Amino acid sequence: MTYKNLQIYFIGALLVLIVLASINTYYLWYLLGLGVIYLGLISWGASNIRSGYFTKTLSSSTKSKQLALTFDDGPHPNSLHVLEVLKRFEAPATFFCIGKNIEAHPEIARQILAESHTLGNHTYSHPVKWGWLSVKDVKAEVDKGKAVLQDITGQDQKLFRPPFGVTNPKIARVLNSDDCYVIGWDLRSLDTAIKDEEKLYQRIIKRINQSSILLFHDTQEHTPRVLERVLQYCEDDGIKIVSLGELLEIEV
């Protein structure tokens, strides 16, 4: 169910219950229940990027034994260690970069491109209050992040990943008017929360055969070591590492 469809169903149910409640106050409880359900669905859709609830999101592929690697929040000095591992395994990746981090480390962003990886927009500053920004502020974050990327790459950037994977009607309004692909994931490594390398590795490989887009963060010190083990697992298990463009069959 999409947000637009929910609105239609909700308004219809609301009108019916208002009429019934005017006849019998007992139906006020149903009105309250409807409100709780509505808010629950809104919260679920906002935090679950795979749902495509507010805007079309590319989060997975039906292709078997193919995996796209994505890294969020760089570029960062630790990105260099990630690049070393990727080069060793000849594995392509997409780096969703924060604009201000590109400004701080333009040489790393250029190295990512020089090694045949892809850059994507992850807003300019990755605001903590991303889900609460106005339409104007969302647009400013998206546009400024995109502009920084264009200065580095010399190309129009089509890949966007929202901070925290959060979307809502305001964010959707901006993204739907922009010529971009909103990219999610179907396997979140949780490398920003899980610091135990063995635990992180086991979490990933237990899910990797049912997944197609893996989310890492190139800002985490332990991520390159876990990445190396994951890539070795993929090599041994016959899982092919491909670019997002190849996996999703899109121009990037």
Side-chain angles (χ1 to χ4, degrees):
M1 180 184 292
T2 65
Y3 176 66
K4 186 176 293 186
N5 289 337
L6 175 66
Q7 293 291 89
I8 295 171
Y9 296 144
F10 176 77
I11 292 172
L14 181 64
L15 292 174
V16 169
L17 287 175
I18 288 174
V19 172
L20 291 174
S22 67
I23 299 171
N24 188 331
T25 57
Y26 174 78
Y27 285 96
L28 288 173
W29 290 104
Y30 286 89
L31 271 173
L32 178 61
L34 180 65
V36 171
I37 292 171
Y38 178 79
L39 290 175
L41 286 172
I42 291 293
S43 299
W44 170 80
S47 59
N48 185 357
I49 194 168
R50 292 183 63 186
S51 68
Y53 191 64
F54 294 108
T55 188
K56 182 181 179 181
T57 304
L58 304 177
S59 300
S60 62
S61 170
T62 57
K63 297 179 180 179
S64 62
K65 291 289 186 176
Q66 291 194 16
L67 181 73
L69 301 173
T70 64
F71 297 86
D72 284 8
D73 295 356
H76 182 274
N78 195 61
S79 306
L80 297 174
H81 301 303
V82 170
L83 288 172
E84 290 173 5
V85 176
L86 293 173
K87 180 182 288 186
R88 198 176 313 138
F89 284 86
E90 299 182 346
T94 299
F95 292 77
F96 287 94
C97 297
I98 298 172
K100 67 178 184 180
N101 289 348
I102 292 177
E103 291 176 340
H105 304 287
E107 72 289 350
I108 298 178
R110 292 190 182 97
Q111 182 171 337
I112 291 171
L113 286 174
E115 296 187 11
S116 300
H117 301 296
T118 305
L119 296 180
N121 186 5
H122 200 39
T123 71
Y124 178 74
S125 68
H126 201 291
V128 174
K129 296 181 178 179
W130 168 251
W132 304 99
L133 296 182
S134 66
V135 171
K136 178 182 178 182
D137 289 339
V138 169
K139 182 171 175 53
E141 280 286 338
V142 173
D143 288 351
K144 193 170 182 180
K146 189 174 184 179
V148 173
L149 274 171
Q150 287 174 330
D151 287 343
I152 286 287
T153 65
Q155 298 176 340
D156 185 33
Q157 294 302 304
K158 294 185 177 297
L159 300 180
F160 178 80
R161 175 172 281 164
F164 316 109
V166 169
T167 58
N168 61 33
K170 294 178 181 178
I171 295 168
R173 180 175 167 185
V174 173
L175 299 181
N176 290 342
S177 65
D178 192 23
D179 181 23
C180 70
Y181 296 108
V182 182
I183 306 297
W185 58 80
D186 57 5
L187 177 50
R188 189 174 192 168
S189 68
L190 294 183
D191 55 348
T192 56
I194 301 174
K195 303 303 180 181
D196 184 305
E197 293 179 21
E198 180 62 24
K199 185 177 179 180
L200 179 58
Y201 171 70
Q202 291 297 331
R203 169 187 164 77
I204 294 169
I205 64 170
K206 286 177 182 176
R207 297 165 172 81
I208 204 165
N209 280 289
Q210 291 77 45
S211 306
S212 53
I213 301 177
L214 172 55
L215 165 63
F216 277 120
H217 293 80
D218 49 326
T219 55
Q220 302 302 302
E221 183 180 350
H222 62 308
T223 293
R225 294 188 291 272
V226 176
L227 171 65
E228 183 172 10
R229 294 180 66 186
V230 168
L231 288 176
Q232 187 61 62
Y233 176 89
C234 290
E235 187 175 284
D236 295 341
D237 198 51
I239 299 172
K240 183 182 180 183
I241 307 301
V242 298
S243 68
L244 267 180
E246 181 178 346
L247 180 79
L248 300 173
E249 298 179 344
I250 58 175
E251 292 281 343
V252 298

